[in-house]
Amino acid sequence: MFATAARWAAKKGKPKMAPIELTAPPEQAQSITRTIFDVVREHGPLTISDVWDHVKDVGLRGLTSKRQMKIMLRWMRERQKLRLICNHDGPHKQFLYTTWFTNPKNVPQGPKGEMKAKVEKLSSFPPPKKP
């Protein structure tokens, strides 16, 4: 018990992050955030790579890189325009961006969940008898 208390006391606190300041002009930042919000609202809970694929299809001019998009997503989360949910599937985690109005229970299962169901279905058969 003493060792647990010593480990707990030795932990450092999480450093406070400064608010994100966007480098883009306000008009451009507004158009980028509106487009990202519309993509997330229209296509449901999305991972970062899914958002990037949809934004590339839209052809947004102000967004130059995936890194800039991730900064914009973090800024939108900070301003509570989007939220981040975690979809647990055993040891696998999937982080999805969604609007505040999306019910997290309606989150679609990823391909890992489908593979797990197939494996469980196959493993339910009895093993072959050995002679």
Side-chain angles (χ1 to χ4, degrees):
M1 180 160 157
F2 179 73
T4 304
R7 277 193 306 269
W8 181 78
K11 287 185 181 177
K12 293 181 182 177
K14 186 175 180 182
K16 300 294 180 190
M17 302 264 309
I20 297 170
E21 295 181 17
L22 300 177
T23 56
E27 303 84 23
Q28 190 176 22
Q30 183 179 10
S31 69
I32 292 170
T33 55
R34 171 53 53 195
T35 304
I36 292 174
F37 183 82
D38 289 342
V39 163
V40 171
R41 185 184 62 201
E42 187 175 320
H43 297 286
L46 298 171
T47 61
I48 289 176
S49 59
D50 293 338
V51 173
W52 177 244
D53 291 338
H54 286 292
V55 168
K56 281 195 305 186
D57 292 341
V58 170
L60 188 60
R61 284 184 180 219
L63 203 59
T64 57
S65 65
K66 190 173 182 179
R67 182 175 187 270
Q68 184 186 8
M69 186 199 69
K70 288 165 75 172
I71 292 170
M72 295 295 287
L73 285 170
R74 201 173 337 142
W75 181 81
M76 291 172 74
R77 226 175 67 215
E78 188 178 277
R79 299 280 188 264
Q80 294 185 350
K81 296 179 186 314
L82 294 178
R83 68 180 178 153
L84 189 63
I85 57 175
C86 181
N87 188 10
H88 290 277
D89 185 22
H92 308 286
K93 289 183 183 177
Q94 188 176 32
F95 293 97
L96 303 167
Y97 281 92
T98 181
T99 62
W100 279 93
F101 312 110
T102 306
N103 187 358
K105 296 190 188 319
N106 296 338
V107 174
Q109 290 293 326
K112 294 174 186 162
E114 295 168 2
M115 289 299 291
K116 184 178 177 183
K118 288 180 183 177
V119 169
E120 288 175 357
K121 185 177 177 182
L122 291 174
S123 64
S124 66
F125 290 110
K129 295 180 182 178
K130 293 184 179 179

